[in-house]
Amino acid sequence: MKIQIKSLRAVNIGPLKDVTLDFTDPSGQPRQNTLIGGANGNGKTTVLELIFGLLELLDPTLSFTKATILSLIRDTSNQYAHIALTIDEVPFTIYYGEAPDDVEITGEYVGARRIEGLWLSDTPHGSPNMAELLHLNWNFFSNIQYQLGTQSGAKLSFCGDLSMTALNMSPAPSILFFPHSRVIKPTQGTSLSTEDTLYQWAYRFETVNTFNESLNGYLVWLEYSDVEEYHRVITFLSKHFDDKKFGIHRKTLSATVTARNGQTHKLDGLSSGEQNLLILLLELRRRLLPNSIVLIDEIENSLHPAFQYKIGEALKEMQREIPFQLIVTSHAPAILKVFGSENTLLLPNPQYYDTANQAAAA
Amino acid sequence: MTPPIKPLPPELNNFLFELGPRKLVLVEGADDAEVFEELYLDRLSKIAFFPTGGDERLEALLQELLTQRPDVESFGIRDRDFQSDTDVEASLTASGSRLFVLRRYCIENYLLEPLVVWYVLRVYLSKAFPWSSVKQAEEHLLKLCADMRTMMAANFVLRLQDALLFSKGHELLSREVLVEAVAHRLSKDAALVEAEIVEREAHIDERLHSLGTAYTCISGKHLLFHLFDFARACDKKRRGLSEDYLFRQLLAQIKQQNLIHEDLREIVEQKILAGS
């Protein structure tokens, strides 16, 4: 299954008064990489949250009350968002909120909206109101739901494989979202626990305070349970951290890092920039399936320009191995150089909407 | 519905990516940007200067910005070059003007203040320093201006025909050679060319009574080159002065002694920063 984003429309959501972001190249094909720039407060993070929130609605395991979109759109009478995608080349739209008059959704769509105060479809995936989804190709949609539901919780290997043979279709990709806060907290384990990487349709990185589910716990578990995979991971890390040596100290159940001068420390002893690099590369690589969508907020967090180029090169190299659509936000000129002006969308300050509307009216 | 956001042309994207909520000022070259950034270092959270690569490119990009991104407060500051007093004043006084023309020939003219030149060369040349007063520095600069009048007049004639101008160093050529060279570049009769040069020289001569007026028609870039040449000649120990070093020392002193010229203050502080 291949999913690609073509555009996003957002109306009255945070600083986004009415914005349409075009993620396609001049030939109309979705761009592989998009850099979103703009001053603080122009809505870069909101754009990534919206993309994640709308795509998350396809998750058949999502508890709707915990949906990200609810934290972004509280008043559907004047707030609205939709995302235009292609799923296996079929145009598909996910929307949420009451659409302005000028919205024309083409292709298949799914979403939730309100008319006269009543929700017509408050679970766009669970038990849809068929009357309100007249344009939906139900077979197409239910196939997606079936595949995502079947894959959910399946074990992922570091090679980008899905350990499922029962599926007679190509594995579904996933949405991987890295918010701007990315640090490794000190964690201490007392016993080993299973730390397999499991498939999730919509994965959001969160800083973990416990040994379980931490990168520390993952590496310790891997060294114990699957030496071959562990060595693949260590080789991968050595390639990107050429002056560091990663290892495991079994007695304290800790992943360790040894610098060139021989000093050894735990993962949380890495500098903030190195932590950012480690999180992005390792979390991404262990969860990435072909044709996924990766969202990274403030990719340059704490990174020296040399490391900014490094993360850019590493992501592009990963894309050559496992293709994915990447959308990042940044203020760093080095990141602009890495991804190029032709792939950069600049969010205007909120004043822009007034002047653009005035110009349109004139 | 607002127009979809797509990638802008690369140059605009490069400016706007770094701009943030600041006012954008396009200038001609990297030296211009360096001067403005140094002089207004404490205001760079409100204003950003970007080099464009020349006056024509500056004007084209400014127009594109004003059309495509009216929400961005964009301005341009360009060299005076050969523009008339009327045109310069019009750019500075017209209501809503976004493109300002320097009153002096170019940005380097604002670094060549006699007091600053005197100070920088005194420190650099030490015992070899030839002037006993700032007045002598001023007289020397005025003499350099007078020495360049023919070459500047020749460049004016060339500019009228969009021909290639004489670069730094050509001031040393004799009048006859300059006239011949202009006639050759324009494929015109030498006598006709000389008449045009004489006419322009007369215009320049009227302005050579003070540095303030001389700097409106004599290029600061050329003057800086000759000042550098003069300093090297004085410096018998040959301590490796470079033109770039001299440029930066003059700039640093303008900043340190708070000698930012009123023309620059008017454009940057009153027209751009204080304006809406």
Side-chain angles (χ1 to χ4, degrees), chain A residues 18-20 22 39 102 330-332 336 341-342 344-346 348 352 357, chain B residues 1-8 10 13-14 16-18 20-21 69-71:
Chain A
D18 185 354
V19 67
T20 304
D22 184 346
D102 60 27
S330 177
H331 298 118
L336 175 65
S341 262
E342 70 281 11
T344 301
L345 303 178
L346 291 173
Y352 165 81
N357 284 332
Chain B
M1 180 183 175
T2 51
I5 294 176
K6 293 168 178 278
L8 293 166
N13 245 358
N14 291 344
L16 295 174
F17 188 81
E18 286 192 48
R69 289 296 297 268
D71 59 309

PDB file of all heavy atoms in Angstrom, chain A residues 18-20 22 39 102 330-332 336 341-342 344-346 348 352 357, chain B residues 1-8 10 13-14 16-18 20-21 69-71:
ATOM      1  N   ASP A  18      -6.623  30.632   6.876  1.00  0.00           N
ATOM      2  CA  ASP A  18      -7.155  29.860   5.752  1.00  0.00           C
ATOM      3  C   ASP A  18      -5.980  29.569   4.829  1.00  0.00           C
ATOM      4  O   ASP A  18      -5.571  30.423   4.039  1.00  0.00           O
ATOM      5  CB  ASP A  18      -8.232  30.644   5.008  1.00  0.00           C
ATOM      6  CG  ASP A  18      -8.873  29.781   3.911  1.00  0.00           C
ATOM      7  OD1 ASP A  18      -8.383  28.649   3.687  1.00  0.00           O
ATOM      8  OD2 ASP A  18      -9.856  30.238   3.294  1.00  0.00           O
ATOM      9  N   VAL A  19      -5.437  28.409   4.976  1.00  0.00           N
ATOM     10  CA  VAL A  19      -4.219  28.106   4.240  1.00  0.00           C
ATOM     11  C   VAL A  19      -4.329  26.765   3.527  1.00  0.00           C
ATOM     12  O   VAL A  19      -4.926  25.829   4.045  1.00  0.00           O
ATOM     13  CB  VAL A  19      -2.993  28.142   5.183  1.00  0.00           C
ATOM     14  CG1 VAL A  19      -3.042  27.033   6.208  1.00  0.00           C
ATOM     15  CG2 VAL A  19      -1.689  28.080   4.433  1.00  0.00           C
ATOM     16  N   THR A  20      -3.819  26.743   2.318  1.00  0.00           N
ATOM     17  CA  THR A  20      -3.717  25.487   1.572  1.00  0.00           C
ATOM     18  C   THR A  20      -2.242  25.273   1.252  1.00  0.00           C
ATOM     19  O   THR A  20      -1.616  26.124   0.620  1.00  0.00           O
ATOM     20  CB  THR A  20      -4.519  25.547   0.253  1.00  0.00           C
ATOM     21  OG1 THR A  20      -5.870  25.872   0.569  1.00  0.00           O
ATOM     22  CG2 THR A  20      -4.469  24.215  -0.478  1.00  0.00           C
ATOM     23  N   ASP A  22       0.505  23.116  -0.703  1.00  0.00           N
ATOM     24  CA  ASP A  22       0.578  22.229  -1.863  1.00  0.00           C
ATOM     25  C   ASP A  22       1.846  21.379  -1.761  1.00  0.00           C
ATOM     26  O   ASP A  22       2.962  21.915  -1.820  1.00  0.00           O
ATOM     27  CB  ASP A  22       0.609  23.105  -3.127  1.00  0.00           C
ATOM     28  CG  ASP A  22       0.592  22.274  -4.393  1.00  0.00           C
ATOM     29  OD1 ASP A  22       0.829  21.058  -4.317  1.00  0.00           O
ATOM     30  OD2 ASP A  22       0.341  22.854  -5.467  1.00  0.00           O
ATOM     31  N   ALA A  39       8.225  32.086  10.383  1.00  0.00           N
ATOM     32  CA  ALA A  39       8.621  32.599  11.703  1.00  0.00           C
ATOM     33  C   ALA A  39       7.900  31.842  12.806  1.00  0.00           C
ATOM     34  O   ALA A  39       6.906  31.145  12.559  1.00  0.00           O
ATOM     35  CB  ALA A  39       8.284  34.084  11.791  1.00  0.00           C
ATOM     36  N   ASP A 102     -16.471  27.163  -0.356  1.00  0.00           N
ATOM     37  CA  ASP A 102     -15.644  26.981  -1.553  1.00  0.00           C
ATOM     38  C   ASP A 102     -14.943  25.622  -1.616  1.00  0.00           C
ATOM     39  O   ASP A 102     -14.217  25.337  -2.558  1.00  0.00           O
ATOM     40  CB  ASP A 102     -14.605  28.107  -1.666  1.00  0.00           C
ATOM     41  CG  ASP A 102     -13.661  28.145  -0.471  1.00  0.00           C
ATOM     42  OD1 ASP A 102     -13.454  27.094   0.150  1.00  0.00           O
ATOM     43  OD2 ASP A 102     -13.141  29.228  -0.163  1.00  0.00           O
ATOM     44  N   SER A 330      11.661  23.700   9.929  1.00  0.00           N
ATOM     45  CA  SER A 330      12.990  24.153  10.353  1.00  0.00           C
ATOM     46  C   SER A 330      13.120  25.660  10.191  1.00  0.00           C
ATOM     47  O   SER A 330      12.401  26.284   9.413  1.00  0.00           O
ATOM     48  CB  SER A 330      14.062  23.457   9.509  1.00  0.00           C
ATOM     49  OG  SER A 330      15.338  23.934   9.863  1.00  0.00           O
ATOM     50  N   HIS A 331      14.085  26.209  10.963  1.00  0.00           N
ATOM     51  CA  HIS A 331      14.492  27.603  10.760  1.00  0.00           C
ATOM     52  C   HIS A 331      15.909  27.666  10.223  1.00  0.00           C
ATOM     53  O   HIS A 331      16.452  28.751  10.033  1.00  0.00           O
ATOM     54  CB  HIS A 331      14.486  28.374  12.090  1.00  0.00           C
ATOM     55  CG  HIS A 331      13.145  28.450  12.745  1.00  0.00           C
ATOM     56  ND1 HIS A 331      12.897  27.913  13.979  1.00  0.00           N
ATOM     57  CD2 HIS A 331      11.984  28.998  12.331  1.00  0.00           C
ATOM     58  CE1 HIS A 331      11.638  28.129  14.301  1.00  0.00           C
ATOM     59  NE2 HIS A 331      11.061  28.784  13.321  1.00  0.00           N
ATOM     60  N   ALA A 332      16.553  26.519  10.047  1.00  0.00           N
ATOM     61  CA  ALA A 332      17.999  26.507   9.786  1.00  0.00           C
ATOM     62  C   ALA A 332      18.325  26.625   8.293  1.00  0.00           C
ATOM     63  O   ALA A 332      17.843  25.819   7.492  1.00  0.00           O
ATOM     64  CB  ALA A 332      18.595  25.221  10.332  1.00  0.00           C
ATOM     65  N   LEU A 336      17.598  24.274   4.708  1.00  0.00           N
ATOM     66  CA  LEU A 336      17.091  24.788   3.425  1.00  0.00           C
ATOM     67  C   LEU A 336      18.004  24.331   2.289  1.00  0.00           C
ATOM     68  O   LEU A 336      17.540  23.934   1.220  1.00  0.00           O
ATOM     69  CB  LEU A 336      17.009  26.317   3.473  1.00  0.00           C
ATOM     70  CG  LEU A 336      16.620  27.034   2.185  1.00  0.00           C
ATOM     71  CD1 LEU A 336      15.191  26.688   1.770  1.00  0.00           C
ATOM     72  CD2 LEU A 336      16.744  28.547   2.332  1.00  0.00           C
ATOM     73  N   SER A 341      15.278  24.997  -2.201  1.00  0.00           N
ATOM     74  CA  SER A 341      14.188  25.975  -2.262  1.00  0.00           C
ATOM     75  C   SER A 341      12.961  25.423  -2.980  1.00  0.00           C
ATOM     76  O   SER A 341      11.827  25.773  -2.648  1.00  0.00           O
ATOM     77  CB  SER A 341      14.664  27.208  -3.021  1.00  0.00           C
ATOM     78  OG  SER A 341      15.049  28.187  -2.130  1.00  0.00           O
ATOM     79  N   GLU A 342      13.214  24.577  -3.981  1.00  0.00           N
ATOM     80  CA  GLU A 342      12.096  24.060  -4.778  1.00  0.00           C
ATOM     81  C   GLU A 342      11.194  23.140  -3.963  1.00  0.00           C
ATOM     82  O   GLU A 342      10.092  22.808  -4.387  1.00  0.00           O
ATOM     83  CB  GLU A 342      12.613  23.351  -6.034  1.00  0.00           C
ATOM     84  CG  GLU A 342      13.337  22.036  -5.817  1.00  0.00           C
ATOM     85  CD  GLU A 342      14.789  22.208  -5.364  1.00  0.00           C
ATOM     86  OE1 GLU A 342      15.179  23.333  -5.010  1.00  0.00           O
ATOM     87  OE2 GLU A 342      15.517  21.198  -5.344  1.00  0.00           O
ATOM     88  N   THR A 344      10.541  23.886  -0.650  1.00  0.00           N
ATOM     89  CA  THR A 344      10.285  24.636   0.583  1.00  0.00           C
ATOM     90  C   THR A 344       8.995  25.446   0.497  1.00  0.00           C
ATOM     91  O   THR A 344       8.788  26.184  -0.458  1.00  0.00           O
ATOM     92  CB  THR A 344      11.480  25.574   0.875  1.00  0.00           C
ATOM     93  OG1 THR A 344      12.656  24.772   1.003  1.00  0.00           O
ATOM     94  CG2 THR A 344      11.265  26.362   2.152  1.00  0.00           C
ATOM     95  N   LEU A 345       8.158  25.282   1.500  1.00  0.00           N
ATOM     96  CA  LEU A 345       6.925  26.073   1.604  1.00  0.00           C
ATOM     97  C   LEU A 345       7.062  26.989   2.804  1.00  0.00           C
ATOM     98  O   LEU A 345       7.429  26.533   3.892  1.00  0.00           O
ATOM     99  CB  LEU A 345       5.722  25.149   1.810  1.00  0.00           C
ATOM    100  CG  LEU A 345       5.481  24.066   0.751  1.00  0.00           C
ATOM    101  CD1 LEU A 345       4.276  23.213   1.142  1.00  0.00           C
ATOM    102  CD2 LEU A 345       5.259  24.688  -0.613  1.00  0.00           C
ATOM    103  N   LEU A 346       6.794  28.260   2.591  1.00  0.00           N
ATOM    104  CA  LEU A 346       6.944  29.224   3.684  1.00  0.00           C
ATOM    105  C   LEU A 346       5.573  29.637   4.192  1.00  0.00           C
ATOM    106  O   LEU A 346       4.749  30.153   3.432  1.00  0.00           O
ATOM    107  CB  LEU A 346       7.699  30.453   3.197  1.00  0.00           C
ATOM    108  CG  LEU A 346       9.174  30.218   2.876  1.00  0.00           C
ATOM    109  CD1 LEU A 346       9.780  31.457   2.248  1.00  0.00           C
ATOM    110  CD2 LEU A 346       9.942  29.840   4.124  1.00  0.00           C
ATOM    111  N   PRO A 348       3.167  32.043   5.847  1.00  0.00           N
ATOM    112  CA  PRO A 348       3.190  33.496   6.070  1.00  0.00           C
ATOM    113  C   PRO A 348       2.739  33.828   7.487  1.00  0.00           C
ATOM    114  O   PRO A 348       2.162  32.987   8.173  1.00  0.00           O
ATOM    115  CB  PRO A 348       2.179  34.010   5.056  1.00  0.00           C
ATOM    116  CG  PRO A 348       1.241  32.873   4.853  1.00  0.00           C
ATOM    117  CD  PRO A 348       2.005  31.608   5.089  1.00  0.00           C
ATOM    118  N   TYR A 352      -0.837  37.952   6.530  1.00  0.00           N
ATOM    119  CA  TYR A 352      -0.868  37.610   5.109  1.00  0.00           C
ATOM    120  C   TYR A 352      -2.302  37.328   4.636  1.00  0.00           C
ATOM    121  O   TYR A 352      -2.701  37.719   3.551  1.00  0.00           O
ATOM    122  CB  TYR A 352       0.002  36.382   4.863  1.00  0.00           C
ATOM    123  CG  TYR A 352      -0.220  35.704   3.537  1.00  0.00           C
ATOM    124  CD1 TYR A 352       0.372  36.207   2.377  1.00  0.00           C
ATOM    125  CD2 TYR A 352      -1.012  34.569   3.429  1.00  0.00           C
ATOM    126  CE1 TYR A 352       0.180  35.580   1.156  1.00  0.00           C
ATOM    127  CE2 TYR A 352      -1.215  33.943   2.211  1.00  0.00           C
ATOM    128  CZ  TYR A 352      -0.617  34.449   1.077  1.00  0.00           C
ATOM    129  OH  TYR A 352      -0.812  33.837  -0.124  1.00  0.00           O
ATOM    130  N   ASN A 357      -6.577  38.120   1.064  1.00  0.00           N
ATOM    131  CA  ASN A 357      -8.025  38.174   0.836  1.00  0.00           C
ATOM    132  C   ASN A 357      -8.442  39.508   0.228  1.00  0.00           C
ATOM    133  O   ASN A 357      -9.320  39.562  -0.635  1.00  0.00           O
ATOM    134  CB  ASN A 357      -8.780  37.920   2.150  1.00  0.00           C
ATOM    135  CG  ASN A 357      -8.748  36.445   2.510  1.00  0.00           C
ATOM    136  OD1 ASN A 357      -8.657  35.588   1.627  1.00  0.00           O
ATOM    137  ND2 ASN A 357      -8.795  36.149   3.794  1.00  0.00           N
TER     138      ASN A 357
ATOM    139  N   MET B   1     -10.959  32.066  -0.010  1.00  0.00           N
ATOM    140  CA  MET B   1      -9.853  31.101   0.011  1.00  0.00           C
ATOM    141  C   MET B   1      -8.570  31.787  -0.468  1.00  0.00           C
ATOM    142  O   MET B   1      -8.547  32.414  -1.510  1.00  0.00           O
ATOM    143  CB  MET B   1     -10.186  29.931  -0.918  1.00  0.00           C
ATOM    144  CG  MET B   1      -9.103  28.875  -0.972  1.00  0.00           C
ATOM    145  SD  MET B   1      -9.569  27.597  -2.162  1.00  0.00           S
ATOM    146  CE  MET B   1      -8.105  26.576  -2.144  1.00  0.00           C
ATOM    147  N   THR B   2      -7.528  31.672   0.330  1.00  0.00           N
ATOM    148  CA  THR B   2      -6.256  32.277  -0.073  1.00  0.00           C
ATOM    149  C   THR B   2      -5.542  31.352  -1.065  1.00  0.00           C
ATOM    150  O   THR B   2      -5.788  30.152  -1.074  1.00  0.00           O
ATOM    151  CB  THR B   2      -5.354  32.512   1.153  1.00  0.00           C
ATOM    152  OG1 THR B   2      -5.282  31.296   1.880  1.00  0.00           O
ATOM    153  CG2 THR B   2      -5.893  33.602   2.033  1.00  0.00           C
ATOM    154  N   PRO B   3      -4.677  31.920  -1.895  1.00  0.00           N
ATOM    155  CA  PRO B   3      -3.999  31.078  -2.897  1.00  0.00           C
ATOM    156  C   PRO B   3      -3.172  29.988  -2.218  1.00  0.00           C
ATOM    157  O   PRO B   3      -2.623  30.214  -1.140  1.00  0.00           O
ATOM    158  CB  PRO B   3      -3.085  32.061  -3.640  1.00  0.00           C
ATOM    159  CG  PRO B   3      -3.501  33.415  -3.208  1.00  0.00           C
ATOM    160  CD  PRO B   3      -4.227  33.300  -1.923  1.00  0.00           C
ATOM    161  N   PRO B   4      -3.071  28.810  -2.835  1.00  0.00           N
ATOM    162  CA  PRO B   4      -2.268  27.733  -2.237  1.00  0.00           C
ATOM    163  C   PRO B   4      -0.816  28.173  -2.069  1.00  0.00           C
ATOM    164  O   PRO B   4      -0.286  28.924  -2.895  1.00  0.00           O
ATOM    165  CB  PRO B   4      -2.359  26.603  -3.256  1.00  0.00           C
ATOM    166  CG  PRO B   4      -3.508  26.932  -4.115  1.00  0.00           C
ATOM    167  CD  PRO B   4      -3.666  28.407  -4.106  1.00  0.00           C
ATOM    168  N   ILE B   5      -0.211  27.702  -1.007  1.00  0.00           N
ATOM    169  CA  ILE B   5       1.198  28.020  -0.777  1.00  0.00           C
ATOM    170  C   ILE B   5       2.045  27.006  -1.528  1.00  0.00           C
ATOM    171  O   ILE B   5       1.951  25.800  -1.306  1.00  0.00           O
ATOM    172  CB  ILE B   5       1.508  28.006   0.725  1.00  0.00           C
ATOM    173  CG1 ILE B   5       0.748  29.149   1.393  1.00  0.00           C
ATOM    174  CG2 ILE B   5       3.005  28.133   0.980  1.00  0.00           C
ATOM    175  CD1 ILE B   5       0.867  29.207   2.872  1.00  0.00           C
ATOM    176  N   LYS B   6       2.840  27.521  -2.447  1.00  0.00           N
ATOM    177  CA  LYS B   6       3.743  26.702  -3.251  1.00  0.00           C
ATOM    178  C   LYS B   6       5.148  27.249  -3.062  1.00  0.00           C
ATOM    179  O   LYS B   6       5.309  28.352  -2.555  1.00  0.00           O
ATOM    180  CB  LYS B   6       3.375  26.813  -4.738  1.00  0.00           C
ATOM    181  CG  LYS B   6       2.036  26.218  -5.114  1.00  0.00           C
ATOM    182  CD  LYS B   6       1.676  26.651  -6.542  1.00  0.00           C
ATOM    183  CE  LYS B   6       0.358  26.052  -6.988  1.00  0.00           C
ATOM    184  NZ  LYS B   6       0.466  24.689  -7.465  1.00  0.00           N
ATOM    185  N   PRO B   7       6.171  26.492  -3.508  1.00  0.00           N
ATOM    186  CA  PRO B   7       7.524  27.053  -3.414  1.00  0.00           C
ATOM    187  C   PRO B   7       7.626  28.344  -4.232  1.00  0.00           C
ATOM    188  O   PRO B   7       7.117  28.411  -5.356  1.00  0.00           O
ATOM    189  CB  PRO B   7       8.409  25.959  -4.023  1.00  0.00           C
ATOM    190  CG  PRO B   7       7.626  24.705  -3.856  1.00  0.00           C
ATOM    191  CD  PRO B   7       6.188  25.107  -4.019  1.00  0.00           C
ATOM    192  N   LEU B   8       8.272  29.356  -3.642  1.00  0.00           N
ATOM    193  CA  LEU B   8       8.512  30.614  -4.355  1.00  0.00           C
ATOM    194  C   LEU B   8       9.784  30.469  -5.180  1.00  0.00           C
ATOM    195  O   LEU B   8      10.540  29.500  -4.993  1.00  0.00           O
ATOM    196  CB  LEU B   8       8.678  31.739  -3.339  1.00  0.00           C
ATOM    197  CG  LEU B   8       7.435  32.103  -2.529  1.00  0.00           C
ATOM    198  CD1 LEU B   8       7.810  32.964  -1.338  1.00  0.00           C
ATOM    199  CD2 LEU B   8       6.422  32.818  -3.403  1.00  0.00           C
ATOM    200  N   PRO B  10      13.564  30.512  -6.064  1.00  0.00           N
ATOM    201  CA  PRO B  10      14.603  30.228  -5.072  1.00  0.00           C
ATOM    202  C   PRO B  10      15.130  31.453  -4.336  1.00  0.00           C
ATOM    203  O   PRO B  10      15.274  31.425  -3.115  1.00  0.00           O
ATOM    204  CB  PRO B  10      15.711  29.569  -5.891  1.00  0.00           C
ATOM    205  CG  PRO B  10      15.012  28.990  -7.061  1.00  0.00           C
ATOM    206  CD  PRO B  10      13.837  29.871  -7.333  1.00  0.00           C
ATOM    207  N   ASN B  13      12.633  32.629  -1.795  1.00  0.00           N
ATOM    208  CA  ASN B  13      12.556  31.658  -0.707  1.00  0.00           C
ATOM    209  C   ASN B  13      13.744  31.794   0.229  1.00  0.00           C
ATOM    210  O   ASN B  13      13.599  31.711   1.445  1.00  0.00           O
ATOM    211  CB  ASN B  13      12.535  30.238  -1.288  1.00  0.00           C
ATOM    212  CG  ASN B  13      11.219  29.545  -0.983  1.00  0.00           C
ATOM    213  OD1 ASN B  13      10.354  30.096  -0.314  1.00  0.00           O
ATOM    214  ND2 ASN B  13      11.052  28.348  -1.473  1.00  0.00           N
ATOM    215  N   ASN B  14      14.919  32.002  -0.343  1.00  0.00           N
ATOM    216  CA  ASN B  14      16.117  32.122   0.488  1.00  0.00           C
ATOM    217  C   ASN B  14      16.023  33.319   1.424  1.00  0.00           C
ATOM    218  O   ASN B  14      16.379  33.241   2.590  1.00  0.00           O
ATOM    219  CB  ASN B  14      17.373  32.239  -0.382  1.00  0.00           C
ATOM    220  CG  ASN B  14      17.662  30.939  -1.108  1.00  0.00           C
ATOM    221  OD1 ASN B  14      17.118  29.896  -0.750  1.00  0.00           O
ATOM    222  ND2 ASN B  14      18.485  30.992  -2.132  1.00  0.00           N
ATOM    223  N   LEU B  16      13.172  34.909   2.386  1.00  0.00           N
ATOM    224  CA  LEU B  16      12.026  34.822   3.294  1.00  0.00           C
ATOM    225  C   LEU B  16      12.207  33.733   4.339  1.00  0.00           C
ATOM    226  O   LEU B  16      11.673  33.823   5.441  1.00  0.00           O
ATOM    227  CB  LEU B  16      10.744  34.592   2.493  1.00  0.00           C
ATOM    228  CG  LEU B  16      10.359  35.747   1.561  1.00  0.00           C
ATOM    229  CD1 LEU B  16       9.153  35.377   0.705  1.00  0.00           C
ATOM    230  CD2 LEU B  16      10.064  37.007   2.354  1.00  0.00           C
ATOM    231  N   PHE B  17      12.946  32.691   3.996  1.00  0.00           N
ATOM    232  CA  PHE B  17      13.186  31.607   4.954  1.00  0.00           C
ATOM    233  C   PHE B  17      13.892  32.143   6.198  1.00  0.00           C
ATOM    234  O   PHE B  17      13.577  31.772   7.323  1.00  0.00           O
ATOM    235  CB  PHE B  17      14.029  30.512   4.300  1.00  0.00           C
ATOM    236  CG  PHE B  17      14.163  29.279   5.150  1.00  0.00           C
ATOM    237  CD1 PHE B  17      13.158  28.332   5.181  1.00  0.00           C
ATOM    238  CD2 PHE B  17      15.295  29.075   5.924  1.00  0.00           C
ATOM    239  CE1 PHE B  17      13.273  27.203   5.974  1.00  0.00           C
ATOM    240  CE2 PHE B  17      15.423  27.946   6.718  1.00  0.00           C
ATOM    241  CZ  PHE B  17      14.413  27.006   6.733  1.00  0.00           C
ATOM    242  N   GLU B  18      14.844  33.041   5.988  1.00  0.00           N
ATOM    243  CA  GLU B  18      15.614  33.573   7.117  1.00  0.00           C
ATOM    244  C   GLU B  18      14.965  34.807   7.732  1.00  0.00           C
ATOM    245  O   GLU B  18      15.358  35.250   8.799  1.00  0.00           O
ATOM    246  CB  GLU B  18      17.030  33.948   6.655  1.00  0.00           C
ATOM    247  CG  GLU B  18      17.913  32.757   6.402  1.00  0.00           C
ATOM    248  CD  GLU B  18      19.363  33.166   6.238  1.00  0.00           C
ATOM    249  OE1 GLU B  18      19.862  33.942   7.065  1.00  0.00           O
ATOM    250  OE2 GLU B  18      19.975  32.724   5.261  1.00  0.00           O
ATOM    251  N   GLY B  20      11.773  35.711   8.833  1.00  0.00           N
ATOM    252  CA  GLY B  20      10.876  35.684   9.993  1.00  0.00           C
ATOM    253  C   GLY B  20       9.992  36.913   9.994  1.00  0.00           C
ATOM    254  O   GLY B  20       9.577  37.387   8.933  1.00  0.00           O
ATOM    255  N   PRO B  21       9.714  37.488  11.186  1.00  0.00           N
ATOM    256  CA  PRO B  21       8.806  38.638  11.236  1.00  0.00           C
ATOM    257  C   PRO B  21       9.514  39.976  10.979  1.00  0.00           C
ATOM    258  O   PRO B  21       8.949  41.021  11.232  1.00  0.00           O
ATOM    259  CB  PRO B  21       8.283  38.568  12.671  1.00  0.00           C
ATOM    260  CG  PRO B  21       9.390  37.936  13.446  1.00  0.00           C
ATOM    261  CD  PRO B  21      10.145  37.039  12.508  1.00  0.00           C
ATOM    262  N   ARG B  69       4.267  38.686  -2.232  1.00  0.00           N
ATOM    263  CA  ARG B  69       4.114  38.615  -0.779  1.00  0.00           C
ATOM    264  C   ARG B  69       3.883  40.010  -0.202  1.00  0.00           C
ATOM    265  O   ARG B  69       4.750  40.585   0.458  1.00  0.00           O
ATOM    266  CB  ARG B  69       5.344  37.959  -0.151  1.00  0.00           C
ATOM    267  CG  ARG B  69       5.458  36.461  -0.428  1.00  0.00           C
ATOM    268  CD  ARG B  69       4.298  35.663   0.183  1.00  0.00           C
ATOM    269  NE  ARG B  69       4.294  35.775   1.620  1.00  0.00           N
ATOM    270  CZ  ARG B  69       4.911  34.907   2.422  1.00  0.00           C
ATOM    271  NH1 ARG B  69       5.518  33.879   1.925  1.00  0.00           N
ATOM    272  NH2 ARG B  69       4.878  35.060   3.725  1.00  0.00           N
ATOM    273  N   PRO B  70       2.675  40.554  -0.422  1.00  0.00           N
ATOM    274  CA  PRO B  70       2.409  41.909   0.075  1.00  0.00           C
ATOM    275  C   PRO B  70       2.413  41.994   1.595  1.00  0.00           C
ATOM    276  O   PRO B  70       2.488  43.088   2.155  1.00  0.00           O
ATOM    277  CB  PRO B  70       1.017  42.218  -0.496  1.00  0.00           C
ATOM    278  CG  PRO B  70       0.427  40.902  -0.834  1.00  0.00           C
ATOM    279  CD  PRO B  70       1.552  39.979  -1.145  1.00  0.00           C
ATOM    280  N   ASP B  71       2.327  40.850   2.255  1.00  0.00           N
ATOM    281  CA  ASP B  71       2.347  40.868   3.722  1.00  0.00           C
ATOM    282  C   ASP B  71       3.745  41.134   4.274  1.00  0.00           C
ATOM    283  O   ASP B  71       3.895  41.547   5.415  1.00  0.00           O
ATOM    284  CB  ASP B  71       1.854  39.524   4.276  1.00  0.00           C
ATOM    285  CG  ASP B  71       2.717  38.368   3.781  1.00  0.00           C
ATOM    286  OD1 ASP B  71       2.933  38.285   2.558  1.00  0.00           O
ATOM    287  OD2 ASP B  71       3.187  37.562   4.603  1.00  0.00           O
TER     288      ASP B  71
END
